[in-house]
Amino acid sequence: MNYKGSCHCKAVKFEFESEEIKEALQCNCSICIQKNAIMSKQSYASTEFKLLSGKENLNTYHWGDHDVNHYFCKTCGIYPFHDTSYEPEKYRINLGCVEKLDPRKLGLFQFDGKNEL
């Protein structure tokens, strides 16, 4: 399936290819708890993920060990996706940014990012 998404102000737009999304991931680390993100369970390689517009409008936030590149829109502040230093250009998507998808209705898996080394 082809999914489309964007930040709140639509300055950042993206699309990705995936099987039908039925499950999602919630992390309990401090940043994920505070932004209350429901993320894609799988990561999408650059062959599956395409940034359509807004690269110049993205900024990156790093926390703690700087392993995760939390991308956010400089205009509206929404976090649409991230990648990591150990898997660059393999993106996890903030499913709240995906059109026609209600992340709260998906099967949720908990990830213990708070205690992960």
Side-chain angles (χ1 to χ4, degrees):
M1 295 181 71
N2 180 268
Y3 288 94
K4 295 186 183 304
S6 68
C7 64
H8 191 258
C9 71
K10 309 275 191 250
V12 176
K13 295 181 180 179
F14 60 92
E15 68 181 9
F16 63 101
E17 293 291 327
S18 176
E19 293 182 11
E20 182 180 2
I21 298 173
K22 296 179 181 181
E23 300 174 330
L25 184 75
Q26 277 190 311
C27 176
N28 67 352
C29 77
S30 61
I31 189 169
C32 288
I33 287 291
Q34 288 188 8
K35 66 183 174 188
N36 197 28
I38 298 175
M39 300 175 295
S40 59
K41 191 174 175 189
Q42 77 178 75
S43 296
Y44 297 95
S46 57
T47 55
E48 302 162 307
F49 175 87
K50 182 177 181 183
L51 183 60
L52 300 173
S53 64
K55 183 175 182 176
E56 69 287 346
N57 218 52
L58 285 173
N59 211 341
T60 308
Y61 176 73
H62 293 108
W63 168 249
D65 55 16
H66 293 253
D67 282 347
V68 180
N69 301 308
H70 300 270
Y71 298 102
F72 65 94
C73 173
K74 290 189 259 184
T75 302
C76 65
I78 296 298
Y79 143 76
F81 50 83
H82 72 260
D83 67 356
T84 63
S85 60
Y86 47 88
E87 285 188 306
E89 296 187 23
K90 286 194 81 174
Y91 301 94
R92 283 195 194 270
I93 312 297
N94 176 355
L95 296 178
C97 294
V98 177
E99 296 174 6
K100 302 175 185 171
L101 185 67
D102 185 347
R104 292 179 180 96
K105 292 184 178 178
L106 301 172
L108 294 179
F109 288 82
Q110 303 300 315
F111 175 73
D112 188 8
K114 183 178 183 178
N115 298 303
E116 194 68 23
L117 296 176

